[in-house]
Amino acid sequence: MKRILLIICTILVFQPVLFAQIRTSLDVVNELIEKSVLNIDPAIINKNLSFNFIYRSSGSYNFLKSKVVDSYIKKFISLSENESLENKLEHSITNITVEYSNPFKDGFFGNLLIERKINVDAALILSEKTGIKTVDLSNSYKDTVEVENISRLENPAIPFTQSTIPELPLFSNLLEPIIVVGTLIVTIILFFTIRSK
């Protein structure tokens, strides 16, 4: 019996450690890039060919090039930066956004939660002897995060991982302290009323 109580106490004490950690916005962006490349229809890209790889994006997305290249390698596509190659594979990331919306409470005295949506807009242009093919590689991800964790999910050095937080509901934040204080007052009044009788 003591062992069971000890196990239960240990689980309760270390409960926050047992739950999975929420991924940062940059982690999700990297996952979306890889997912979009790995989901390209195999019939579109001939894996027997070698491609001159061209990466186009704005300045703030330049460091994502290694993730894009890694994703194509995982798909077993041969890339090179040899401009003499006839076949060209051009990957461009046009836009990455993080948006927060719909703040709400998790239960009456629960944490304040908010929806997070991350969009990665990208495209693939494939130039071969047979012609030019264009593939839309846009992808999105949606989840719910705690408002107090947002600063840990964003990276201050990377602007596209940040976004403005909408106004939080004022009514629920004011109502909780009023209910707690009201409950304490009623409890004290009842305690002294019953005791005096």
Side-chain angles (χ1 to χ4, degrees), residues 64-80:
L64 295 170
K65 180 180 179 180
S66 59
K67 184 62 189 176
V68 172
V69 170
D70 181 58
S71 301
Y72 281 107
I73 290 170
K74 283 183 180 175
K75 196 166 173 68
F76 303 106
I77 295 169
S78 177
L79 299 179
S80 171

Side-chain angles (χ1 to χ4, degrees), residues 113-189:
L113 303 175
I114 197 163
E115 288 180 8
R116 173 179 67 166
K117 186 175 183 185
I118 300 174
N119 294 311
V120 176
D121 297 324
L124 163 68
I125 300 172
L126 201 62
S127 304
E128 297 175 317
K129 288 179 185 178
T130 55
I132 297 174
K133 300 174 191 169
T134 306
V135 181
D136 180 29
L137 298 178
S138 299
N139 219 330
S140 64
Y141 173 85
K142 193 174 185 180
D143 68 351
T144 304
V145 297
E146 290 184 12
V147 172
E148 64 184 37
N149 288 337
I150 287 177
S151 61
R152 283 184 267 161
L153 301 177
E154 297 179 338
N155 188 329
I158 306 171
F160 66 79
T161 64
Q162 304 167 41
S163 183
T164 55
I165 302 168
E167 280 195 34
L168 304 174
L170 185 64
F171 180 71
S172 63
N173 290 346
L174 289 174
L175 192 62
E176 285 180 12
I178 292 170
I179 290 173
V180 169
V181 171
T183 306
L184 284 172
I185 291 170
V186 169
T187 305
I188 292 169
I189 291 170

